[in-house]
Amino acid sequence: MLRQLLLGGAVSLANIAIHAAVMAAVVGTARRALKWEHRRPQVWLAAAMVATVGILMIAHVTEVGVWALAYVLLGVAPPGADVLYFAFVNYTTLGYGDVVPVERWRLLGPMAAMNGVLLFGWSTAVIFEVMRQAMRHRDQTGGP
């Protein structure tokens, strides 16, 4: 059990590092973009939100890929299972249950789910922050 917790923690920390780098880039880019002059603030806000969410989705898919790689390296999924699908089902807490981990690695599924929930929550906070900054900037500059 300790081995599962340590390895699951290591994969989670790797994903947290990926997410932190993406978050720093998204927030920094949004702050710089707020300084640009734009004639259509509503269109700019929509474009900023689409870009933010799109980048965050790429980050999440990458993090699912990290879990899938860990599953392959550790032999977590049963033979013949679609490991990427298994990683997505765990990370998103969908939990179909049609693929279950081998007995000795059964804690990694819930750890991936915990990691996904935390990172989705973090993403939600950043999406809200980008939108808040954009709307505050619009209000300060007198935009509609």
Side-chain angles (χ1 to χ4, degrees), residues 11-22:
V11 175
S12 292
L13 287 174
N15 280 341
I16 290 167
I18 291 167
H19 219 70
V22 171

Side-chain angles (χ1 to χ4, degrees), residues 8-65:
V11 175
S12 292
L13 287 174
N15 280 341
I16 290 167
I18 291 167
H19 219 70
V22 171
M23 292 300 150
V26 165
V27 171
T29 301
R31 284 186 178 151
R32 285 188 300 280
L34 283 172
K35 296 175 183 174
W36 302 344
E37 286 295 322
H38 38 274
R39 295 179 187 186
R40 301 169 112 184
Q42 306 318 58
V43 172
W44 181 88
L45 176 59
M49 297 312 301
V50 167
T52 298
V53 174
I55 291 166
L56 292 174
M57 286 185 69
I58 292 167
H60 285 289
V61 170
T62 301
E63 292 152 7
V64 168

